[in-house]
Amino acid sequence: MTRSELIERIAERAPHVPRRELESIIHAVFDCMSEALVAGRRIELRGFGVFSLRTRRARTGRNPKTGKSVAVPERRTLSFAAGKELRARLNAPAPRQEPVGSVLPPVVLATQPLASTSLAR
């Protein structure tokens, strides 16, 4: 789901809120989340999950093309752990649905005889 799709879905659920205001709210939420992560803080959204930073230590890697050793510096990466409620929803059995395209189209019986073609000339 993209940011614009998220805004559309929220607009459907809250038609009384102008779209411009929804866009500014969503942008503000993501900006606040980004600022918190850059500052090294973790973000915990109860029932959804936890965003946190992890530090990957510096290491020696290898250039696959030349085979030479390359120093890879320390860096921070984002980690997400799903919350209890989200995990439960993800692992709940889904209602049984037929896959798209698995149902054969109905057979149409010809009511008119096929036109005969003459092969002998």
Side-chain angles (χ1 to χ4, degrees):
M1 174 179 286
T2 64
R3 188 180 295 203
S4 59
E5 290 172 342
L6 177 63
I7 292 169
E8 286 295 321
R9 297 282 299 269
I10 294 173
E12 290 171 3
R13 293 183 182 194
H16 58 282
V17 180
R19 184 174 167 79
R20 288 272 187 218
E21 285 185 37
L22 280 176
E23 288 176 8
S24 63
I25 291 169
I26 296 297
H27 288 290
V29 167
F30 286 136
D31 287 342
C32 289
M33 290 175 71
S34 298
E35 290 169 7
L37 290 168
V38 168
R41 296 191 310 263
R42 79 184 227 150
I43 300 169
E44 183 177 337
L45 304 171
R46 301 278 172 149
F48 183 73
V50 177
F51 295 92
S52 60
L53 289 177
R54 293 197 176 172
T55 303
R56 297 179 109 182
R57 61 181 174 77
R59 61 185 174 84
T60 302
R62 218 169 262 296
N63 182 337
K65 191 171 186 179
T66 63
K68 288 187 177 181
S69 293
V70 178
V72 179
E74 179 178 276
R75 63 183 182 154
R76 299 188 310 175
T77 60
L78 182 65
S79 173
F80 175 76
K84 184 178 177 181
E85 292 175 24
L86 179 59
R87 266 195 319 269
R89 289 180 69 183
L90 290 173
N91 293 315
R96 185 98 173 122
Q97 293 181 350
E98 291 294 322
V100 176
S102 69
V103 179
L104 296 175
V107 177
V108 178
L109 299 175
T111 56
Q112 300 283 332
L114 293 175
S116 62
T117 58
S118 174
L119 296 176
R121 287 190 179 211

